[in-house]
Amino acid sequence: MKSNVGRWVVAVVLSIFLSGCSSIRARDEISGQEWTAYPGVQQDLKETGEIFTGKRSEPGWIQGLIASMLIVDLPFSIVLDTLVAPYDVYRIYNPEAFEEADEPPDQPEDLDAE
């Protein structure tokens, strides 16, 4: 019984250290897609739904660990997404201001090729 308590303590500690991770990860993956508000919460709910509907192929104990981390992460994602909401709204309504930043920089011409 003591080893089960240790596993749960590790899962909770990891969840605390990774709090807000879905918010950060979701914003990192948006670059080529349309920007949305509350992407971290959307990602938490989507991934939790995939686990509970059986769309993921990991073993059951890993799915349980991931689901518990996502559920613990959800309130932190709500807080972080709420704090970043003004930026998200600005980015949604002004996408042209960010188009240059999303494109890779131009490659300098090779002057030695002449």
Side-chain angles (χ1 to χ4, degrees):
M1 181 69 182
K2 193 172 189 176
S3 65
N4 288 337
V5 172
R7 289 180 187 170
W8 281 107
V9 168
V10 169
V12 169
V13 169
L14 283 175
S15 297
I16 291 170
F17 284 125
L18 298 173
S19 64
C21 181
S22 290
S23 294
I24 295 167
R25 192 170 40 126
R27 282 179 176 77
D28 187 42
E29 295 172 358
I30 290 178
S31 63
Q33 303 169 0
E34 188 174 319
W35 203 267
T36 62
Y38 286 86
V41 174
Q42 292 175 9
Q43 184 153 357
D44 274 342
L45 295 175
K46 183 186 92 170
E47 290 180 3
T48 305
E50 288 174 355
I51 289 172
F52 287 120
T53 58
K55 293 181 180 177
R56 296 188 64 146
S57 61
E58 293 97 359
W61 69 274
I62 291 179
Q63 288 184 10
L65 182 63
I66 292 171
S68 64
M69 288 173 48
L70 290 171
I71 291 169
V72 169
D73 180 59
L74 186 60
F76 296 105
S77 293
I78 290 170
V79 170
L80 184 62
D81 284 348
T82 301
L83 291 174
V84 186
Y87 172 77
D88 290 339
V89 171
Y90 178 76
R91 185 143 184 181
I92 288 168
Y93 289 107
N94 297 303
E96 64 278 351
F98 296 94
E99 286 177 1
E100 274 186 19
D102 289 339
E103 295 175 4
D106 293 333
Q107 298 294 327
E109 294 181 26
D110 189 13
L111 299 175
D112 295 331
E114 296 176 9

